Amino acid sequence: MAKKKNRKVVRYRRPLNINVGMIIFALIFAYMAFYVYTYVRRDKIEFYEVTEGGIVNDQRHTGVILREETVQYTDRAGNINFYLQEGKRAAVGTRIYSIDETGTISSLLAEQAGDSISLSPENLASLQKELSAFSQTFRDEAFHEVYDVKYTLDSRVLEYASSDALKNLDSILSEAGANFSQVRSSASGVVSYSIDSMESLEPSQITAETFDRSLYAKIGPRSGQLVETGAPAYKLITSEDWSVVFQLSPEETALYQDKDSLALKFSGKDLETTAAFSIITGADGGAYGKLDFNKYMEQFVSDRFVDFEIITEEVKGLKLPRTAVTTMNFFIVPRDFYASSENGSASGFYKEVYGENGSTMELISPTIYNADEEYYYLDTEDSQGLKAGDYLIKPDSQERYQVGAMESVQGVFNINRGYTVFKQIEILDSNSEYYTVRRNM
Protein backbone atom coordinates (compact mmCIF):
# COMPACT_ATOMS: atom_id res chain seq x y z
CA MET A 1 0.00 0.00 0.00
CA ALA A 2 1.49 3.33 -1.07
CA LYS A 3 2.31 5.98 1.50
CA LYS A 4 0.21 9.14 1.53
CA LYS A 5 1.88 12.16 0.16
CA ASN A 6 2.62 15.00 2.57
CA ARG A 7 0.30 17.77 1.42
CA LYS A 8 1.60 20.45 3.89
CA VAL A 9 2.36 23.72 2.01
CA VAL A 10 5.38 25.67 3.16
CA ARG A 11 5.43 29.41 2.26
CA TYR A 12 8.43 30.31 0.15
CA ARG A 13 10.41 33.21 1.54
CA ARG A 14 11.64 35.42 -1.19
CA PRO A 15 15.15 36.74 -0.67
CA LEU A 16 15.55 40.46 0.25
CA ASN A 17 16.50 42.32 -2.89
CA ILE A 18 17.71 45.92 -2.39
CA ASN A 19 16.84 48.21 -5.30
CA VAL A 20 19.95 50.35 -5.56
CA GLY A 21 18.34 52.57 -8.19
CA MET A 22 15.52 53.59 -5.83
CA ILE A 23 18.02 54.42 -3.09
CA ILE A 24 20.06 56.58 -5.44
CA PHE A 25 16.90 58.32 -6.66
CA ALA A 26 15.81 58.98 -3.05
CA LEU A 27 19.21 60.46 -2.23
CA ILE A 28 19.15 62.66 -5.33
CA PHE A 29 15.63 63.81 -4.49
CA ALA A 30 16.62 64.65 -0.90
CA TYR A 31 19.67 66.56 -2.16
CA MET A 32 17.61 68.52 -4.66
CA ALA A 33 14.97 69.32 -2.04
CA PHE A 34 17.65 70.55 0.36
CA TYR A 35 19.31 72.62 -2.38
CA VAL A 36 15.99 74.26 -3.37
CA TYR A 37 15.21 74.97 0.29
CA THR A 38 18.57 76.61 0.95
CA TYR A 39 18.32 78.59 -2.32
CA VAL A 40 14.92 79.95 -1.36
CA ARG A 41 16.06 80.89 2.14
CA ARG A 42 19.39 82.49 1.36
CA ASP A 43 19.90 86.16 0.49
CA LYS A 44 19.78 86.79 -3.23
CA ILE A 45 22.66 88.53 -4.97
CA GLU A 46 21.39 91.10 -7.42
CA PHE A 47 23.37 92.59 -10.26
CA TYR A 48 22.91 96.18 -11.35
CA GLU A 49 24.20 97.87 -14.49
CA VAL A 50 25.59 101.29 -13.67
CA THR A 51 24.09 104.15 -15.68
CA GLU A 52 24.84 107.83 -15.91
CA GLY A 53 22.29 110.14 -14.47
CA GLY A 54 21.37 112.31 -11.54
CA ILE A 55 18.89 112.65 -8.73
CA VAL A 56 16.28 115.39 -8.69
CA ASN A 57 15.04 116.13 -5.17
CA ASP A 58 12.48 118.82 -5.96
CA GLN A 59 10.33 119.38 -2.88
CA ARG A 60 6.62 120.24 -3.17
CA HIS A 61 5.12 122.59 -0.61
CA THR A 62 2.02 124.60 0.14
CA GLY A 63 2.69 128.05 1.53
CA VAL A 64 0.70 130.85 3.11
CA ILE A 65 1.01 134.26 1.46
CA LEU A 66 1.63 137.25 3.73
CA ARG A 67 1.34 140.84 2.43
CA GLU A 68 0.96 144.41 3.62
CA GLU A 69 -2.82 144.64 3.21
CA THR A 70 -5.51 146.67 4.92
CA VAL A 71 -9.23 145.94 4.90
CA GLN A 72 -11.51 148.90 4.16
CA TYR A 73 -15.05 148.95 5.63
CA THR A 74 -18.29 150.61 4.52
CA ASP A 75 -19.53 153.69 6.38
CA ARG A 76 -23.20 153.23 5.46
CA ALA A 77 -25.68 150.57 4.34
CA GLY A 78 -26.89 150.04 0.81
CA ASN A 79 -26.20 148.25 -2.45
CA ILE A 80 -22.50 148.22 -3.24
CA ASN A 81 -21.15 148.51 -6.79
CA PHE A 82 -17.47 148.28 -7.70
CA TYR A 83 -15.70 150.35 -10.33
CA LEU A 84 -12.28 148.70 -10.22
CA GLN A 85 -11.51 145.11 -11.09
CA GLU A 86 -9.69 142.66 -8.79
CA GLY A 87 -5.93 143.02 -8.96
CA LYS A 88 -5.93 146.50 -10.52
CA ARG A 89 -3.78 149.24 -9.10
CA ALA A 90 -5.47 152.28 -7.59
CA ALA A 91 -3.89 155.70 -7.13
CA VAL A 92 -4.84 158.14 -4.39
CA GLY A 93 -8.35 159.39 -5.21
CA THR A 94 -9.26 156.51 -7.55
CA ARG A 95 -12.96 155.66 -7.35
CA ILE A 96 -13.28 152.13 -5.90
CA TYR A 97 -16.98 151.60 -5.24
CA SER A 98 -20.27 153.37 -4.57
CA ILE A 99 -23.04 152.77 -2.05
CA ASP A 100 -26.56 153.02 -3.44
CA GLU A 101 -28.89 153.68 -0.50
CA THR A 102 -32.11 153.67 -2.58
CA GLY A 103 -31.43 150.89 -5.11
CA THR A 104 -31.51 153.34 -8.04
CA ILE A 105 -28.12 152.32 -9.42
CA SER A 106 -29.04 148.64 -9.44
CA SER A 107 -32.22 149.40 -11.40
CA LEU A 108 -30.37 151.56 -13.90
CA LEU A 109 -27.68 148.89 -14.29
CA ALA A 110 -30.35 146.31 -15.06
CA GLU A 111 -31.93 148.64 -17.62
CA GLN A 112 -28.60 149.42 -19.24
CA ALA A 113 -27.45 145.81 -19.34
CA GLY A 114 -30.62 144.14 -20.57
CA ASP A 115 -29.74 140.94 -22.39
CA SER A 116 -26.60 142.32 -23.99
CA ILE A 117 -24.10 141.69 -21.19
CA SER A 118 -20.86 140.44 -22.68
CA LEU A 119 -17.28 140.11 -21.47
CA SER A 120 -14.27 141.47 -23.29
CA PRO A 121 -11.62 139.07 -24.69
CA GLU A 122 -9.26 140.23 -21.95
CA ASN A 123 -11.81 139.37 -19.25
CA LEU A 124 -12.50 135.96 -20.76
CA ALA A 125 -8.77 135.23 -21.02
CA SER A 126 -8.35 136.12 -17.34
CA LEU A 127 -11.14 133.75 -16.31
CA GLN A 128 -9.77 130.98 -18.50
CA LYS A 129 -6.28 131.38 -17.04
CA GLU A 130 -7.63 131.15 -13.50
CA LEU A 131 -9.62 128.00 -14.29
CA SER A 132 -6.60 126.42 -15.98
CA ALA A 133 -4.36 127.14 -12.99
CA PHE A 134 -6.93 125.61 -10.63
CA SER A 135 -7.36 122.44 -12.73
CA GLN A 136 -3.58 121.86 -12.79
CA THR A 137 -3.26 121.98 -9.01
CA PHE A 138 -6.59 120.39 -8.01
CA ARG A 139 -6.46 117.45 -5.59
CA ASP A 140 -9.39 115.19 -4.68
CA GLU A 141 -8.65 115.52 -0.97
CA ALA A 142 -9.00 119.33 -1.27
CA PHE A 143 -12.44 119.39 -2.91
CA HIS A 144 -13.50 122.29 -0.66
CA GLU A 145 -11.30 124.54 -2.81
CA VAL A 146 -13.87 124.24 -5.59
CA TYR A 147 -16.23 126.51 -3.64
CA ASP A 148 -13.54 129.17 -3.20
CA VAL A 149 -12.86 129.16 -6.93
CA LYS A 150 -16.58 129.30 -7.75
CA TYR A 151 -16.98 132.28 -5.45
CA THR A 152 -13.98 134.02 -7.02
CA LEU A 153 -15.20 133.43 -10.57
CA ASP A 154 -18.74 134.61 -9.74
CA SER A 155 -17.30 137.77 -8.23
CA ARG A 156 -15.03 138.36 -11.20
CA VAL A 157 -17.86 138.03 -13.73
CA LEU A 158 -20.03 140.47 -11.79
CA GLU A 159 -17.13 142.89 -11.44
CA TYR A 160 -16.31 142.76 -15.14
CA ALA A 161 -19.93 143.30 -16.13
CA SER A 162 -20.76 146.02 -13.62
CA SER A 163 -17.50 147.95 -13.99
CA ASP A 164 -18.01 148.22 -17.75
CA ALA A 165 -21.59 149.37 -17.28
CA LEU A 166 -20.72 151.83 -14.51
CA LYS A 167 -18.29 153.67 -16.74
CA ASN A 168 -21.20 155.05 -18.75
CA LEU A 169 -23.61 155.68 -15.89
CA ASP A 170 -22.26 158.89 -14.43
CA SER A 171 -24.23 161.13 -16.75
CA ILE A 172 -27.36 158.97 -16.42
CA LEU A 173 -27.14 159.00 -12.61
CA SER A 174 -26.76 162.77 -12.57
CA GLU A 175 -29.80 163.19 -14.74
CA ALA A 176 -31.80 160.76 -12.63
CA GLY A 177 -30.77 162.51 -9.40
CA ALA A 178 -29.74 159.21 -7.79
CA ASN A 179 -28.74 159.36 -4.12
CA PHE A 180 -25.46 157.46 -3.84
CA SER A 181 -22.06 157.82 -2.20
CA GLN A 182 -18.78 157.23 -4.05
CA VAL A 183 -15.76 155.92 -2.15
CA ARG A 184 -12.27 156.73 -3.36
CA SER A 185 -8.94 155.28 -2.36
CA SER A 186 -7.06 157.19 0.34
CA ALA A 187 -3.74 155.50 -0.58
CA SER A 188 -2.15 153.89 -3.59
CA GLY A 189 -2.06 150.13 -3.91
CA VAL A 190 -3.54 147.05 -5.50
CA VAL A 191 -7.24 146.38 -4.88
CA SER A 192 -8.56 142.96 -3.90
CA TYR A 193 -12.04 141.85 -2.90
CA SER A 194 -10.93 138.51 -1.39
CA ILE A 195 -11.16 138.98 2.37
CA ASP A 196 -10.34 136.11 4.73
CA SER A 197 -9.46 137.58 8.18
CA MET A 198 -5.78 136.69 7.66
CA GLU A 199 -4.77 140.13 6.45
CA SER A 200 -2.93 140.99 9.68
CA LEU A 201 -1.23 137.60 10.10
CA GLU A 202 2.47 137.89 11.04
CA PRO A 203 5.15 135.24 10.35
CA SER A 204 5.72 134.73 14.09
CA GLN A 205 2.01 133.86 14.49
CA ILE A 206 2.13 130.92 12.08
CA THR A 207 1.22 127.46 13.43
CA ALA A 208 0.61 124.07 11.82
CA GLU A 209 -3.13 124.77 12.01
CA THR A 210 -2.67 127.77 9.71
CA PHE A 211 -2.13 125.33 6.82
CA ASP A 212 -5.37 123.41 7.42
CA ARG A 213 -7.29 124.54 4.35
CA SER A 214 -10.49 122.88 5.56
CA LEU A 215 -10.72 125.68 8.15
CA TYR A 216 -10.14 128.42 5.59
CA ALA A 217 -12.98 130.69 4.48
CA LYS A 218 -12.93 133.64 2.09
CA ILE A 219 -15.60 136.32 2.01
CA GLY A 220 -16.17 139.61 0.22
CA PRO A 221 -19.14 141.50 -1.20
CA ARG A 222 -20.19 141.34 -4.85
CA SER A 223 -21.42 144.17 -7.03
CA GLY A 224 -25.11 144.77 -6.44
CA GLN A 225 -25.08 143.09 -3.02
CA LEU A 226 -26.76 144.75 -0.04
CA VAL A 227 -24.21 145.48 2.69
CA GLU A 228 -24.51 146.81 6.21
CA THR A 229 -22.61 149.63 7.84
CA GLY A 230 -19.14 148.48 8.86
CA ALA A 231 -19.06 145.55 6.44
CA PRO A 232 -15.75 144.71 4.71
CA ALA A 233 -15.76 146.27 1.25
CA TYR A 234 -12.30 145.63 -0.14
CA LYS A 235 -8.67 145.48 0.87
CA LEU A 236 -5.74 147.53 -0.34
CA ILE A 237 -2.30 145.98 -0.78
CA THR A 238 0.18 148.79 -0.33
CA SER A 239 3.56 147.15 -1.00
CA GLU A 240 5.19 145.06 -3.70
CA ASP A 241 7.03 143.12 -0.98
CA TRP A 242 5.36 139.86 0.03
CA SER A 243 6.28 136.56 1.62
CA VAL A 244 5.40 132.87 1.51
CA VAL A 245 5.71 130.83 4.71
CA PHE A 246 5.72 127.03 4.51
CA GLN A 247 6.23 124.06 6.80
CA LEU A 248 9.64 122.37 7.12
CA SER A 249 10.38 118.81 8.19
CA PRO A 250 13.49 118.18 10.36
CA GLU A 251 15.28 116.79 7.29
CA GLU A 252 14.43 119.87 5.22
CA THR A 253 15.48 122.17 8.05
CA ALA A 254 18.92 120.52 8.06
CA LEU A 255 19.07 120.61 4.25
CA TYR A 256 18.24 124.30 3.89
CA GLN A 257 19.77 125.75 7.07
CA ASP A 258 22.76 127.19 5.19
CA LYS A 259 20.73 128.57 2.28
CA ASP A 260 19.90 132.25 1.88
CA SER A 261 18.00 131.87 -1.40
CA LEU A 262 15.99 129.16 -3.17
CA ALA A 263 14.85 128.58 -6.75
CA LEU A 264 11.09 128.02 -7.06
CA LYS A 265 8.48 126.90 -9.55
CA PHE A 266 4.86 127.89 -8.89
CA SER A 267 2.28 125.28 -9.83
CA GLY A 268 -0.23 126.46 -12.41
CA LYS A 269 1.39 129.88 -12.80
CA ASP A 270 4.09 129.08 -15.38
CA LEU A 271 6.49 131.03 -13.17
CA GLU A 272 10.01 130.17 -12.06
CA THR A 273 11.96 132.59 -9.90
CA THR A 274 14.41 132.92 -7.01
CA ALA A 275 13.47 134.16 -3.56
CA ALA A 276 15.38 135.16 -0.44
CA PHE A 277 15.09 132.39 2.14
CA SER A 278 15.22 132.22 5.92
CA ILE A 279 14.08 129.82 8.65
CA ILE A 280 11.74 131.20 11.30
CA THR A 281 10.08 129.82 14.43
CA GLY A 282 6.28 129.82 14.53
CA ALA A 283 3.98 130.41 17.47
CA ASP A 284 3.88 126.65 18.10
CA GLY A 285 7.68 126.38 18.21
CA GLY A 286 7.91 124.65 14.84
CA ALA A 287 10.41 125.49 12.10
CA TYR A 288 9.03 127.21 9.00
CA GLY A 289 10.61 128.41 5.80
CA LYS A 290 10.07 132.02 4.75
CA LEU A 291 10.46 133.16 1.13
CA ASP A 292 10.61 136.90 0.43
CA PHE A 293 9.73 138.49 -2.93
CA ASN A 294 9.66 142.02 -4.29
CA LYS A 295 7.74 141.33 -7.53
CA TYR A 296 4.98 139.14 -9.02
CA MET A 297 2.64 140.13 -6.19
CA GLU A 298 -0.24 141.00 -8.58
CA GLN A 299 -0.30 137.42 -9.90
CA PHE A 300 -1.23 136.12 -6.44
CA VAL A 301 -3.47 138.95 -5.25
CA SER A 302 -6.55 136.70 -4.93
CA ASP A 303 -4.68 133.80 -3.29
CA ARG A 304 -3.85 133.05 0.31
CA PHE A 305 -2.42 129.58 -0.27
CA VAL A 306 0.01 128.77 -3.06
CA ASP A 307 1.54 125.48 -4.23
CA PHE A 308 5.17 125.49 -5.37
CA GLU A 309 8.27 123.35 -5.83
CA ILE A 310 11.76 124.06 -4.56
CA ILE A 311 14.12 123.37 -7.45
CA THR A 312 17.38 121.72 -6.50
CA GLU A 313 20.34 121.46 -8.82
CA GLU A 314 20.61 118.05 -10.44
CA VAL A 315 24.01 116.50 -9.72
CA LYS A 316 25.37 114.48 -12.64
CA GLY A 317 27.35 111.30 -12.12
CA LEU A 318 26.83 107.55 -11.90
CA LYS A 319 23.54 106.33 -10.47
CA LEU A 320 23.73 103.43 -7.99
CA PRO A 321 21.07 101.81 -5.80
CA ARG A 322 21.67 102.37 -2.09
CA THR A 323 21.46 98.62 -1.44
CA ALA A 324 24.60 98.03 -3.57
CA VAL A 325 26.80 100.24 -1.39
CA THR A 326 28.81 98.67 1.41
CA THR A 327 31.94 99.37 3.46
CA MET A 328 35.27 97.56 3.83
CA ASN A 329 38.06 98.00 6.37
CA PHE A 330 41.67 98.61 5.29
CA PHE A 331 44.95 98.87 7.17
CA ILE A 332 46.37 102.39 7.02
CA VAL A 333 50.14 102.86 6.86
CA PRO A 334 51.99 106.22 6.70
CA ARG A 335 53.18 107.04 3.19
CA ASP A 336 56.77 107.64 4.25
CA PHE A 337 57.15 103.94 5.21
CA TYR A 338 56.94 102.99 1.52
CA ALA A 339 60.33 101.86 0.17
CA SER A 340 62.11 100.27 -2.80
CA SER A 341 64.69 97.47 -2.84
CA GLU A 342 68.37 98.31 -3.29
CA ASN A 343 68.35 97.41 -6.99
CA GLY A 344 64.96 99.03 -7.51
CA SER A 345 63.39 95.82 -8.80
CA ALA A 346 60.73 95.70 -6.09
CA SER A 347 58.90 98.09 -3.82
CA GLY A 348 56.67 97.86 -0.80
CA PHE A 349 57.21 97.93 2.96
CA TYR A 350 59.97 96.55 5.15
CA LYS A 351 58.42 94.21 7.67
CA GLU A 352 60.29 93.29 10.83
CA VAL A 353 60.70 89.50 11.02
CA TYR A 354 62.00 87.62 14.04
CA GLY A 355 64.13 84.47 13.64
CA GLU A 356 66.85 82.48 15.42
CA ASN A 357 69.42 85.19 14.73
CA GLY A 358 67.22 88.04 15.89
CA SER A 359 65.14 90.46 13.87
CA THR A 360 65.58 91.05 10.15
CA MET A 361 63.80 93.13 7.52
CA GLU A 362 61.71 91.56 4.79
CA LEU A 363 60.38 93.56 1.85
CA ILE A 364 56.71 92.75 1.28
CA SER A 365 54.41 94.12 -1.40
CA PRO A 366 50.82 94.02 -0.13
CA THR A 367 48.06 95.33 -2.39
CA ILE A 368 47.72 99.08 -2.00
CA TYR A 369 44.05 99.81 -2.46
CA ASN A 370 44.06 103.58 -2.18
CA ALA A 371 46.10 106.52 -0.94
CA ASP A 372 45.54 109.99 0.42
CA GLU A 373 47.95 112.75 1.41
CA GLU A 374 48.98 110.94 4.59
CA TYR A 375 48.29 107.20 4.35
CA TYR A 376 48.31 104.17 2.08
CA TYR A 377 45.30 101.87 2.36
CA LEU A 378 46.28 98.17 2.38
CA ASP A 379 43.88 95.36 1.57
CA THR A 380 43.53 93.19 4.68
CA GLU A 381 42.78 90.09 2.56
CA ASP A 382 45.72 90.46 0.19
CA SER A 383 48.45 91.74 2.50
CA GLN A 384 51.13 89.04 1.99
CA GLY A 385 50.91 87.88 5.57
CA LEU A 386 50.76 91.38 7.06
CA LYS A 387 48.52 91.35 10.09
CA ALA A 388 47.60 93.52 13.01
CA GLY A 389 50.46 93.76 15.49
CA ASP A 390 53.27 93.47 12.93
CA TYR A 391 55.91 96.19 12.76
CA LEU A 392 57.07 98.07 9.67
CA ILE A 393 60.43 99.83 9.55
CA LYS A 394 60.90 103.18 7.90
CA PRO A 395 63.68 103.22 5.24
CA ASP A 396 67.02 104.65 6.38
CA SER A 397 65.66 104.97 9.87
CA GLN A 398 65.00 103.01 13.01
CA GLU A 399 61.46 104.36 13.21
CA ARG A 400 58.85 101.61 13.50
CA TYR A 401 55.12 101.54 12.89
CA GLN A 402 52.81 98.93 14.36
CA VAL A 403 50.13 97.77 11.95
CA GLY A 404 46.62 97.81 13.39
CA ALA A 405 44.87 101.07 12.67
CA MET A 406 42.07 100.62 10.15
CA GLU A 407 39.86 102.90 8.09
CA SER A 408 36.42 102.15 6.64
CA VAL A 409 35.97 102.86 2.93
CA GLN A 410 32.59 103.13 1.24
CA GLY A 411 32.24 101.40 -2.10
CA VAL A 412 30.65 98.74 -4.29
CA PHE A 413 31.69 95.38 -5.73
CA ASN A 414 32.44 95.47 -9.46
CA ILE A 415 31.95 92.20 -11.39
CA ASN A 416 33.10 93.22 -14.89
CA ARG A 417 35.96 90.71 -14.78
CA GLY A 418 33.82 87.77 -13.70
CA TYR A 419 34.86 88.10 -10.06
CA THR A 420 34.23 90.77 -7.46
CA VAL A 421 36.56 93.75 -7.15
CA PHE A 422 35.87 96.35 -4.47
CA LYS A 423 35.68 99.91 -5.87
CA GLN A 424 35.64 103.02 -3.74
CA ILE A 425 32.93 105.62 -4.43
CA GLU A 426 32.46 109.30 -3.66
CA ILE A 427 28.81 110.16 -3.04
CA LEU A 428 27.64 113.44 -4.56
CA ASP A 429 23.92 113.26 -3.87
CA SER A 430 21.29 110.82 -2.62
CA ASN A 431 17.63 110.13 -2.07
CA SER A 432 15.73 107.27 -0.42
CA GLU A 433 16.61 104.80 -3.23
CA TYR A 434 19.75 105.92 -5.09
CA TYR A 435 23.17 107.52 -4.77
CA THR A 436 24.80 109.68 -7.40
CA VAL A 437 28.56 109.06 -7.29
CA ARG A 438 31.52 110.70 -8.98
CA ARG A 439 32.64 109.25 -12.30
CA ASN A 440 36.02 107.58 -12.86
CA MET A 441 36.52 106.46 -9.28
Side-chain angles (χ1 to χ4, degrees):
M1 187 174 180
K3 292 182 178 180
K4 291 184 178 180
K5 290 184 178 181
N6 187 0
R7 296 180 178 272
K8 185 177 180 180
V9 178
V10 179
R11 184 181 296 274
Y12 175 72
R13 292 188 177 183
R14 302 179 63 177
L16 180 63
N17 294 325
I18 298 176
N19 191 327
V20 178
M22 291 297 294
I23 294 176
I24 294 174
F25 178 79
L27 291 175
I28 293 174
F29 179 80
Y31 172 78
M32 293 296 295
F34 176 75
Y35 181 82
V36 171
Y37 174 78
T38 55
Y39 175 79
V40 172
R41 292 295 303 271
R42 74 182 181 184
D43 294 334
K44 304 297 187 302
I45 298 176
E46 297 183 5
F47 308 106
Y48 182 85
E49 183 179 357
V50 177
T51 59
E52 291 193 16
I55 297 173
V56 178
N57 290 315
D58 291 353
Q59 303 291 329
R60 297 178 179 271
H61 293 279
T62 296
V64 173
I65 297 177
L66 305 180
R67 296 171 286 244
E68 293 183 18
E69 47 193 354
T70 306
V71 179
Q72 306 294 324
Y73 299 89
T74 59
D75 62 353
R76 66 192 67 196
N79 294 94
I80 192 169
N81 290 281
F82 296 103
Y83 291 83
L84 204 62
Q85 295 177 8
E86 173 96 0
K88 296 296 183 180
R89 184 171 295 277
V92 176
T94 300
R95 183 170 54 179
I96 305 297
Y97 68 92
S98 63
I99 293 290
D100 176 15
E101 299 180 66
T102 61
T104 305
I105 296 180
S106 299
S107 300
L108 290 173
L109 280 173
E111 292 176 6
Q112 290 290 319
D115 296 327
S116 61
I117 294 179
S118 61
L119 299 180
S120 67
E122 293 78 11
N123 294 340
L124 288 172
S126 176
L127 294 173
Q128 184 179 14
K129 184 177 181 181
E130 189 156 348
L131 273 174
S132 176
F134 172 72
S135 64
Q136 292 179 30
T137 58
F138 176 73
R139 299 167 297 169
D140 291 341
E141 60 270 22
F143 184 78
H144 58 275
E145 297 175 15
V146 173
Y147 299 100
D148 290 338
V149 174
K150 180 180 181 296
Y151 171 81
T152 300
L153 293 177
D154 286 346
S155 299
R156 289 284 179 86
V157 171
L158 286 172
E159 289 164 20
Y160 293 154
S162 62
S163 62
D164 288 341
L166 282 167
K167 292 176 183 177
N168 303 319
L169 279 182
D170 285 345
S171 59
I172 300 175
L173 292 172
S174 299
E175 294 175 2
N179 181 22
F180 71 102
S181 172
Q182 298 187 63
V183 176
R184 300 179 182 274
S185 176
S186 59
S188 62
V190 176
V191 172
S192 174
Y193 305 109
S194 301
I195 301 168
D196 56 12
S197 74
M198 297 175 69
E199 287 78 16
S200 60
L201 184 65
E202 295 291 336
S204 59
Q205 298 173 327
I206 294 287
T207 65
E209 192 177 67
T210 306
F211 299 87
D212 187 353
R213 299 178 76 162
S214 64
L215 304 177
Y216 179 73
K218 182 165 56 177
I219 61 173
R222 307 176 187 178
S223 284
Q225 181 179 342
L226 180 64
V227 297
E228 299 178 350
T229 302
Y234 71 100
K235 65 184 178 185
L236 195 65
I237 303 169
T238 56
S239 175
E240 287 288 337
D241 296 331
W242 58 292
S243 302
V244 174
V245 178
F246 61 98
Q247 294 173 295
L248 287 175
S249 66
E251 295 78 14
E252 290 168 335
T253 302
L255 179 63
Y256 300 136
Q257 63 181 353
D258 296 327
K259 302 286 187 181
D260 55 14
S261 66
L262 293 175
L264 311 171
K265 180 194 299 181
F266 288 98
S267 303
K269 295 290 186 180
D270 192 25
L271 174 61
E272 292 187 20
T273 186
T274 301
F277 172 76
S278 59
I279 296 178
I280 63 172
T281 301
D284 57 358
Y288 297 90
K290 182 171 175 282
L291 301 166
D292 297 315
F293 305 84
N294 55 20
K295 55 183 177 180
Y296 307 120
M297 185 269 294
E298 287 87 348
Q299 297 190 35
F300 302 90
V301 69
S302 301
D303 302 319
R304 181 61 67 186
F305 294 95
V306 60
D307 297 321
F308 63 93
E309 296 178 25
I310 298 176
I311 304 172
T312 56
E313 184 178 354
E314 184 178 3
V315 178
K316 295 292 185 179
L318 300 179
K319 193 174 180 180
L320 302 175
R322 295 177 69 104
T323 53
V325 177
T326 186
T327 57
M328 284 190 65
N329 293 324
F330 294 85
F331 289 131
I332 56 173
V333 175
R335 292 177 67 102
D336 51 7
F337 275 77
Y338 189 78
S340 298
S341 61
E342 294 181 359
N343 58 9
S345 60
S347 58
F349 301 91
Y350 282 108
K351 175 184 174 183
E352 189 174 40
V353 180
Y354 294 93
E356 295 179 357
N357 299 323
S359 63
T360 59
M361 294 191 304
E362 177 186 348
L363 184 66
I364 61 173
S365 300
T367 300
I368 297 177
Y369 174 75
N370 193 23
D372 55 27
E373 295 180 356
E374 190 174 359
Y375 293 104
Y376 283 116
Y377 290 70
L378 307 184
D379 192 340
T380 57
E381 297 181 2
D382 187 13
S383 58
Q384 292 196 353
L386 188 67
K387 60 184 182 298
D390 290 343
Y391 282 93
L392 301 179
I393 299 176
K394 189 174 182 180
D396 302 323
S397 171
Q398 295 301 313
E399 186 178 346
R400 305 160 74 222
Y401 175 81
Q402 186 175 24
V403 177
M406 304 183 77
E407 188 74 27
S408 295
V409 176
Q410 201 168 31
V412 295
F413 287 102
N414 180 282
I415 58 171
N416 287 355
R417 300 178 181 177
Y419 54 89
T420 57
V421 178
F422 186 77
K423 297 287 186 179
Q424 185 182 6
I425 61 172
E426 180 181 346
I427 297 174
L428 302 176
D429 198 4
S430 65
N431 60 15
S432 59
E433 297 182 5
Y434 292 96
Y435 287 121
T436 297
V437 304
R438 189 179 301 280
R439 297 183 182 90
N440 304 320
M441 287 292 293

